Amino acid sequence: MSGLIRLRGFIQAMTRLADADTSERAWLTEGADLLRGLVAQDDWLPDSMAEDGPTYRQYLLHCDPAERFCVVSFVWGPGQRTPIHNHTVWGLVGMLRGEEVSTEMVPDPAGGPMRPGRVDRLRPGEVVPVSADTYDIHIVENAFSDRASISIHCYGGNIGAIPRSVFDPATGAARPFISGYHNSAVPNLWDRSRELAA
Ligand SMILES: [Fe+2]
């Protein structure tokens, strides 16, 4: 199995989880197992969804029609990082290529500087959750200054359209944020003609 067949199978399995009215806890276990299977092989991501740019790229691979979950390719150019941000929904991060570092950022109740908490360094094939049960506010950065890194993310909604926040590290002050996506077309998973002709 290679190419988009692998991505299509993953999305079909995630859709079955959504249809089963899966709890957040189950998404973070069963969904994580599925994502681990997807990122175990690096032979399926279209090149157009793997290009880096002047800032980190966020390419939508699939959004469930009922917006119950989405699948996104994050491409980190050398040394690139996100602002401090939250998600408000469950998320799964699976490392496909290179490495990234996710650092939890903890607000100071008194309005002082935010402080770092848990640090996850992801290597290819590894999957970590984000959730209000673990941590929801973090900063993510490419672990490498000389090459791109790519991770595949799933969220419990259409993450590019969810009103979220970015945070000022000096004060913890929140500012509204809707991320959007960098691509205007998603991969065509449904041209089965080559498989059928094989
Ligand atoms: Fe994040």
Side-chain angles (χ1 to χ4, degrees):
M1 184 170 63
S2 66
L4 289 176
I5 299 175
R6 192 183 301 285
L7 177 60
R8 187 174 66 215
F10 170 75
I11 288 167
Q12 289 172 323
M14 291 287 280
T15 304
R16 285 192 287 273
L17 271 187
D19 288 344
D21 247 345
T22 298
S23 66
E24 174 169 319
R25 183 176 295 269
W27 277 114
L28 297 182
T29 53
E30 295 170 42
D33 287 344
L34 293 174
L35 182 58
R36 211 169 282 115
L38 181 67
V39 298
Q41 302 282 341
D42 182 7
D43 62 359
W44 56 268
L45 184 67
D47 290 343
S48 61
M49 306 282 141
E51 290 174 2
D52 62 0
T55 61
Y56 70 93
R57 304 279 98 169
Q58 187 167 333
Y59 299 109
L60 180 67
L61 299 176
H62 174 77
C63 184
D64 172 63
E67 297 178 288
R68 296 171 297 182
F69 71 93
C70 68
V71 186
V72 183
S73 169
F74 275 73
V75 182
W76 316 95
Q80 289 178 350
R81 54 162 52 187
T82 66
I84 301 172
H85 65 275
N86 67 359
H87 310 86
T88 76
V89 292
W90 63 261
L92 294 164
V93 179
M95 203 72 218
L96 184 70
R97 203 175 296 172
E99 297 182 14
E100 72 182 35
V101 178
S102 164
T103 304
E104 175 188 17
M105 295 299 290
V106 182
D108 174 4
M114 300 179 81
R115 63 176 175 79
R118 170 176 156 179
V119 178
D120 289 309
R121 182 173 179 130
L122 273 80
R123 295 173 179 81
E126 293 180 343
V127 173
V128 296
V130 293
S131 156
D133 292 341
T134 52
Y135 58 84
D136 191 41
I137 302 177
H138 70 166
I139 185 167
V140 182
E141 58 199 310
N142 190 345
F144 298 121
S145 58
D146 61 348
R147 69 192 108 145
S149 292
I150 302 176
S151 51
I152 306 301
H153 298 208
C154 301
Y155 298 97
N158 178 5
I159 194 69
I162 293 176
R164 300 188 279 152
S165 301
V166 292
F167 300 86
D168 181 340
T171 64
R175 188 165 53 79
F177 165 65
I178 298 177
S179 66
Y181 301 106
H182 286 98
N183 53 326
S184 55
V186 294
N188 180 354
L189 302 175
W190 302 108
D191 182 355
R192 296 177 183 264
S193 58
R194 274 195 210 158
E195 300 155 40
L196 293 170

